[in-house]
Amino acid sequence: MIIPTLNEAANLSATLHRLRAVPATPTFEVIVSDGGSTDGTPELARRLGARVISGTRGRARQMNAGAAAARGEYLYFLHADTLPPADWQELLNRDDFGLPSSFRLRFAGQEQMPWLRLYSYFTRFDVDAFRFGDQSLWVSRHDFQAVGGFPDDWQLLEDNHMVRRLRRYRGGFRILAASVVTSPRKYQRYGFVYTQLVYTLLYTLYRLGAGQARLAGLYRRLLD
């Protein structure tokens, strides 16, 4: 279990408690890969039983560092503000030829937000345009290393890029029927329509071959 963090103390506690709330003795390790938090995130993670490593800021780089530090045969990447299903461990361990996997997506409080309900509905379909890091990612260490890990210097869309590479390498990808629940904080801050238009623009430019410098510059100007 690898969780990249940067000032996530407000969200991390609920996530770590969910991970430990399993009926049997946990057979996994939790690694928090921190990128220089100043809000007490590393200290909180240690108090709640996670192993903390620190390194250079950058989600792709942090996840690669977590993968290198992990000891297990399988890697599960999860965002700090995302809660997996209560039976997440059982669902991920069901054998399906070891295909890399993601969950569907729900947003906290989406019952009052029709647009977010619509967006989350589409994450059940096996379409690359709906595969992002909020949905978490389960992958064998062998497959992760075979595709070269996350692109270390990427700042955006590294998760979508990884899924596309894994799909090509393994010839398939598994979308689990259960859902993770993630924070809608970006949508709440900027509004659904504006935020989704920005995400769509960034994704379209990425698929057209735009470089990371251009994408990151747009993101900082429009959403950061």
Side-chain angles (χ1 to χ4, degrees), residues 43-63:
E43 293 78 12
L44 171 66
R46 291 188 185 96
R47 286 201 306 272
L48 294 176
R51 177 183 170 198
V52 178
I53 63 172
S54 300
T56 305
R57 174 178 177 176
R59 192 165 59 198
R61 189 175 288 109
Q62 289 169 233
M63 289 191 289

Side-chain angles (χ1 to χ4, degrees), residues 92-114:
L92 289 173
N93 286 331
R94 286 178 184 168
D95 187 26
D96 192 7
F97 306 104
L99 283 178
S101 311
S102 285
F103 287 104
R104 299 176 186 178
L105 182 67
R106 290 183 66 253
F107 292 94
Q110 72 174 29
E111 293 76 16
Q112 286 73 49
M113 294 175 275

Side-chain angles (χ1 to χ4, degrees), residues 190-206:
Y190 293 103
F192 176 84
V193 174
Y194 175 80
T195 304
Q196 196 57 46
L197 284 173
V198 173
Y199 285 155
T200 301
L201 172 64
L202 292 170
Y203 181 75
T204 301
L205 291 173
Y206 152 67

